mmCIF file of all heavy atoms in Angstrom:
data_model
loop_
_atom_site.group_PDB
_atom_site.id
_atom_site.type_symbol
_atom_site.label_atom_id
_atom_site.label_comp_id
_atom_site.label_asym_id
_atom_site.label_seq_id
_atom_site.Cartn_x
_atom_site.Cartn_y
_atom_site.Cartn_z
ATOM 1 N N GLU A 3 107.132 100.602 82.402
ATOM 2 C CA GLU A 3 106.748 100.100 83.717
ATOM 3 C C GLU A 3 105.234 99.946 83.797
ATOM 4 O O GLU A 3 104.473 100.730 83.237
ATOM 5 C CB GLU A 3 107.225 101.069 84.799
ATOM 6 C CG GLU A 3 106.928 100.569 86.186
ATOM 7 C CD GLU A 3 107.524 101.444 87.282
ATOM 8 O OE1 GLU A 3 107.730 102.641 87.047
ATOM 9 O OE2 GLU A 3 107.759 100.900 88.360
ATOM 10 N N ASN A 4 104.790 98.924 84.509
ATOM 11 C CA ASN A 4 103.376 98.709 84.751
ATOM 12 C C ASN A 4 102.823 99.954 85.452
ATOM 13 O O ASN A 4 103.369 100.391 86.468
ATOM 14 C CB ASN A 4 103.225 97.466 85.632
ATOM 15 C CG ASN A 4 101.804 97.195 86.033
ATOM 16 O OD1 ASN A 4 101.171 98.021 86.678
ATOM 17 N ND2 ASN A 4 101.322 96.027 85.670
ATOM 18 N N PRO A 5 101.729 100.558 84.942
ATOM 19 C CA PRO A 5 101.196 101.785 85.555
ATOM 20 C C PRO A 5 100.795 101.615 87.026
ATOM 21 O O PRO A 5 100.975 102.535 87.824
ATOM 22 C CB PRO A 5 99.973 102.126 84.698
ATOM 23 C CG PRO A 5 100.137 101.362 83.428
ATOM 24 C CD PRO A 5 100.989 100.175 83.741
ATOM 25 N N LEU A 6 100.256 100.466 87.398
ATOM 26 C CA LEU A 6 99.887 100.228 88.791
ATOM 27 C C LEU A 6 101.133 100.221 89.675
ATOM 28 O O LEU A 6 101.161 100.846 90.737
ATOM 29 C CB LEU A 6 99.119 98.911 88.921
ATOM 30 C CG LEU A 6 98.756 98.474 90.341
ATOM 31 C CD1 LEU A 6 97.954 99.545 91.067
ATOM 32 C CD2 LEU A 6 98.001 97.150 90.306
ATOM 33 N N LEU A 7 102.171 99.528 89.230
ATOM 34 C CA LEU A 7 103.404 99.492 90.016
ATOM 35 C C LEU A 7 104.053 100.871 90.085
ATOM 36 O O LEU A 7 104.674 101.217 91.101
ATOM 37 C CB LEU A 7 104.374 98.464 89.439
ATOM 38 C CG LEU A 7 103.941 97.010 89.591
ATOM 39 C CD1 LEU A 7 104.944 96.087 88.925
ATOM 40 C CD2 LEU A 7 103.744 96.641 91.059
ATOM 41 N N ALA A 8 103.910 101.652 89.022
ATOM 42 C CA ALA A 8 104.448 103.022 89.036
ATOM 43 C C ALA A 8 103.753 103.859 90.106
ATOM 44 O O ALA A 8 104.405 104.577 90.876
ATOM 45 C CB ALA A 8 104.296 103.665 87.661
ATOM 46 N N ARG A 9 102.426 103.762 90.177
ATOM 47 C CA ARG A 9 101.682 104.530 91.194
ATOM 48 C C ARG A 9 102.018 104.023 92.597
ATOM 49 O O ARG A 9 102.189 104.808 93.527
ATOM 50 C CB ARG A 9 100.167 104.430 90.971
ATOM 51 C CG ARG A 9 99.626 105.127 89.749
ATOM 52 C CD ARG A 9 99.704 106.649 89.760
ATOM 53 N NE ARG A 9 101.009 107.166 89.443
ATOM 54 C CZ ARG A 9 101.537 107.273 88.202
ATOM 55 N NH1 ARG A 9 100.860 106.908 87.156
ATOM 56 N NH2 ARG A 9 102.745 107.765 88.038
ATOM 57 N N TYR A 10 102.099 102.701 92.751
ATOM 58 C CA TYR A 10 102.446 102.133 94.055
ATOM 59 C C TYR A 10 103.822 102.633 94.491
ATOM 60 O O TYR A 10 104.003 103.081 95.631
ATOM 61 C CB TYR A 10 102.409 100.607 93.988
ATOM 62 C CG TYR A 10 102.834 99.915 95.259
ATOM 63 C CD1 TYR A 10 102.077 100.020 96.425
ATOM 64 C CD2 TYR A 10 103.987 99.144 95.302
ATOM 65 C CE1 TYR A 10 102.462 99.382 97.591
ATOM 66 C CE2 TYR A 10 104.375 98.493 96.461
ATOM 67 C CZ TYR A 10 103.614 98.620 97.606
ATOM 68 O OH TYR A 10 104.012 97.985 98.763
ATOM 69 N N GLY A 11 104.777 102.589 93.579
ATOM 70 C CA GLY A 11 106.120 103.081 93.885
ATOM 71 C C GLY A 11 106.118 104.554 94.241
ATOM 72 O O GLY A 11 106.817 104.990 95.168
ATOM 73 N N GLU A 12 105.316 105.324 93.533
ATOM 74 C CA GLU A 12 105.210 106.758 93.817
ATOM 75 C C GLU A 12 104.637 106.986 95.218
ATOM 76 O O GLU A 12 105.126 107.842 95.970
ATOM 77 C CB GLU A 12 104.306 107.390 92.759
ATOM 78 C CG GLU A 12 104.238 108.884 92.784
ATOM 79 C CD GLU A 12 103.401 109.434 91.642
ATOM 80 O OE1 GLU A 12 102.853 108.668 90.820
ATOM 81 O OE2 GLU A 12 103.289 110.678 91.573
ATOM 82 N N ARG A 92 107.739 96.322 97.882
ATOM 83 C CA ARG A 92 107.957 96.722 96.485
ATOM 84 C C ARG A 92 108.509 95.550 95.685
ATOM 85 O O ARG A 92 108.047 95.262 94.582
ATOM 86 C CB ARG A 92 108.913 97.912 96.431
ATOM 87 C CG ARG A 92 109.053 98.539 95.065
ATOM 88 C CD ARG A 92 110.090 99.652 95.041
ATOM 89 N NE ARG A 92 109.933 100.628 96.088
ATOM 90 C CZ ARG A 92 109.668 101.905 95.892
ATOM 91 N NH1 ARG A 92 109.507 102.369 94.672
ATOM 92 N NH2 ARG A 92 109.575 102.736 96.897
ATOM 93 N N PHE A 95 105.721 92.826 95.018
ATOM 94 C CA PHE A 95 104.775 93.182 93.955
ATOM 95 C C PHE A 95 105.436 93.177 92.576
ATOM 96 O O PHE A 95 104.760 92.989 91.572
ATOM 97 C CB PHE A 95 104.143 94.546 94.214
ATOM 98 C CG PHE A 95 102.920 94.516 95.090
ATOM 99 C CD1 PHE A 95 102.803 95.388 96.163
ATOM 100 C CD2 PHE A 95 101.872 93.638 94.851
ATOM 101 C CE1 PHE A 95 101.667 95.388 96.970
ATOM 102 C CE2 PHE A 95 100.736 93.619 95.644
ATOM 103 C CZ PHE A 95 100.638 94.499 96.706
ATOM 104 N N ARG A 96 106.761 93.374 92.528
ATOM 105 C CA ARG A 96 107.466 93.406 91.242
ATOM 106 C C ARG A 96 107.920 92.027 90.760
ATOM 107 O O ARG A 96 108.414 91.894 89.643
ATOM 108 C CB ARG A 96 108.678 94.336 91.330
ATOM 109 C CG ARG A 96 108.292 95.789 91.414
ATOM 110 C CD ARG A 96 109.529 96.678 91.486
ATOM 111 N NE ARG A 96 109.146 98.073 91.482
ATOM 112 C CZ ARG A 96 108.918 98.783 90.395
ATOM 113 N NH1 ARG A 96 109.022 98.230 89.217
ATOM 114 N NH2 ARG A 96 108.569 100.043 90.483
ATOM 115 N N LEU A 101 101.367 90.195 90.085
ATOM 116 C CA LEU A 101 100.084 90.883 89.925
ATOM 117 C C LEU A 101 99.011 89.992 89.301
ATOM 118 O O LEU A 101 97.843 90.374 89.290
ATOM 119 C CB LEU A 101 100.250 92.169 89.124
ATOM 120 C CG LEU A 101 101.049 93.272 89.818
ATOM 121 C CD1 LEU A 101 101.168 94.491 88.914
ATOM 122 C CD2 LEU A 101 100.443 93.648 91.163
ATOM 123 N N CYS A 118 97.065 95.661 95.417
ATOM 124 C CA CYS A 118 98.092 96.669 95.178
ATOM 125 C C CYS A 118 97.460 98.057 95.010
ATOM 126 O O CYS A 118 97.980 99.051 95.520
ATOM 127 C CB CYS A 118 98.911 96.293 93.939
ATOM 128 S SG CYS A 118 100.318 97.380 93.638
#
Side-chain angles (χ1 to χ4, degrees):
E3 183 174 26
N4 176 300
L6 176 56
L7 291 177
R9 291 293 79 79
Y10 176 66
E12 188 176 0
R92 189 184 310 243
F95 274 131
R96 289 181 176 275
L101 292 179
C118 186

